[in-house]
Amino acid sequence: QEIVGQCENCLLGGDPASFVRNAAVQVLAGFIEVQDRGVLYGMERETLMIYRLLKRVGVEDLDEGVRLKALQTLAVLSDIVKGFMFPKQRITREVKILEHF
């Protein structure tokens, strides 16, 4: 939560240096990629905060590189959340052959 808060301050605080905002997005991307999926599911509030933050940065940031990285990271996070909310269903069939003598 502290990491997310620091990144939020860098991104929404309007740091004039785009490399600082880009680094904050990189930190969030790294955080998402290395976390066990179960941890992200357990941190629902923080995951939602990260999602909203990335979405906002992807739309509002003035630097195209920062926006692009934020949108890429948002796509990764969306895939993870969709996988949790809508798990792939497997259909299994059981075939029994009866022998007649």
Side-chain angles (χ1 to χ4, degrees):
Q1 188 174 5
E2 188 175 327
I3 293 171
V4 176
Q6 291 296 325
C7 290
E8 183 177 26
N9 289 339
C10 289
L11 291 167
L12 299 183
D15 195 302
S18 64
F19 73 90
V20 173
R21 296 190 313 275
N22 194 28
V25 174
Q26 294 274 10
V27 167
L28 290 174
F31 176 76
I32 291 167
E33 290 173 9
V34 300
Q35 290 299 319
D36 181 65
R37 302 303 181 233
V39 172
L40 287 176
Y41 305 142
M43 298 173 32
E44 292 175 15
R45 203 172 96 214
E46 289 81 4
T47 303
L48 180 59
M49 221 167 92
I50 292 170
Y51 182 87
R52 288 179 176 163
L53 178 62
L54 290 171
K55 190 168 186 176
R56 184 171 174 186
V57 170
V59 172
E60 296 178 1
D61 200 274
L62 300 176
D63 185 84
E64 185 177 346
V66 175
R67 283 195 318 266
L68 180 62
K69 184 62 180 171
L71 291 174
Q72 289 172 338
T73 305
L74 184 63
V76 170
L77 184 59
S78 292
D79 289 343
I80 292 169
V81 172
K82 283 179 189 175
F84 176 69
M85 293 177 65
F86 307 106
K88 291 185 179 182
Q89 295 183 3
R90 292 184 158 198
I91 299 174
T92 58
R93 295 183 189 185
E94 193 172 309
V95 178
K96 293 183 180 180
I97 299 175
L98 301 175
E99 294 182 31
H100 295 283
F101 294 102

